[in-house]
Amino acid sequence: KNEVEQSPQNLTAQEGEFITINCSYSVGISALHWLQQHPGGGIVSLFMLSSGKKKHGRLIATINIQEKHSSLHITASHPRDSAVYICAVPEGAQKLVFGQGTRLTINP
Amino acid sequence: EAGVTQSPTHLIKTRGQQATLRCSPISGHTSVYWYQQALGLGLQFLLWYDEGEERNRGNFPPRFSGRQFPNYSSELNVNALELEDSALYLCASSLGISLSEKLFFGSGTQLSVL
């Protein structure tokens, strides 16, 4: 069974700050998903990565397969980045296991 | 192109009743996943359908069931509703069966059991 731990659980920062959210998992995986859930529940898939680093706009995701760890970074954070960020990893071939999420609040 | 659509947006039921939730995947996607997100809790995997068949189910009782139709849309049925079934139910679709495929989520159905 794959255990997924995210940290921090809650994060409040000022607009413009550099944000890092961490995700650790216990069993080796083929790919890791980062999701963003906005107030109201809608979920958007941000990244899916299996090695190295991916960048999309101000968002950067990295993964270290050997250490079973991934980070999501947000540069020049903005209040519209306020959301819950969730990482998810496969358990076996047929199921995703989700972290509890990190609630990010960016104050203007 | 339309995204994943779910209906209804909100559903209010009383204990013991049955609820039916619907999901239409993105055109061309054959896999549909159902997740439950209870208040204050993380996403929990419920069911996975692909090509009309149930591929896997999470740790939920049998009163949670569903099906996938030939057009790949899906229904989630919850029988004998209990208060703790109150949650946001999210549907996601993907192009294939690999969990390395990107997931696309619907906006969810908020189920309230009174």
Side-chain angles (χ1 to χ4, degrees), chain B residues 11 13 17-21 65 76-81 111 113:
Chain B
L11 188 57
K13 294 283 186 178
Q17 285 188 313
Q18 181 204 32
T20 298
L21 288 62
S65 65
L76 173 68
N77 296 293
V78 188
N79 294 319
L81 284 165
L111 173 64
V113 182

Side-chain angles (χ1 to χ4, degrees), chain A residues 90-97, chain B residues 33 35 45 47-48 54-58 97-99:
Chain A
E91 182 175 278
Q94 298 179 328
K95 176 180 159 183
L96 278 179
V97 176
Chain B
Y33 303 82
Y35 299 96
F45 167 71
L47 287 160
W48 173 28
E54 184 180 297
R55 299 286 181 167
N56 198 13
R57 66 179 291 127
I97 63 171
S98 167
L99 288 174

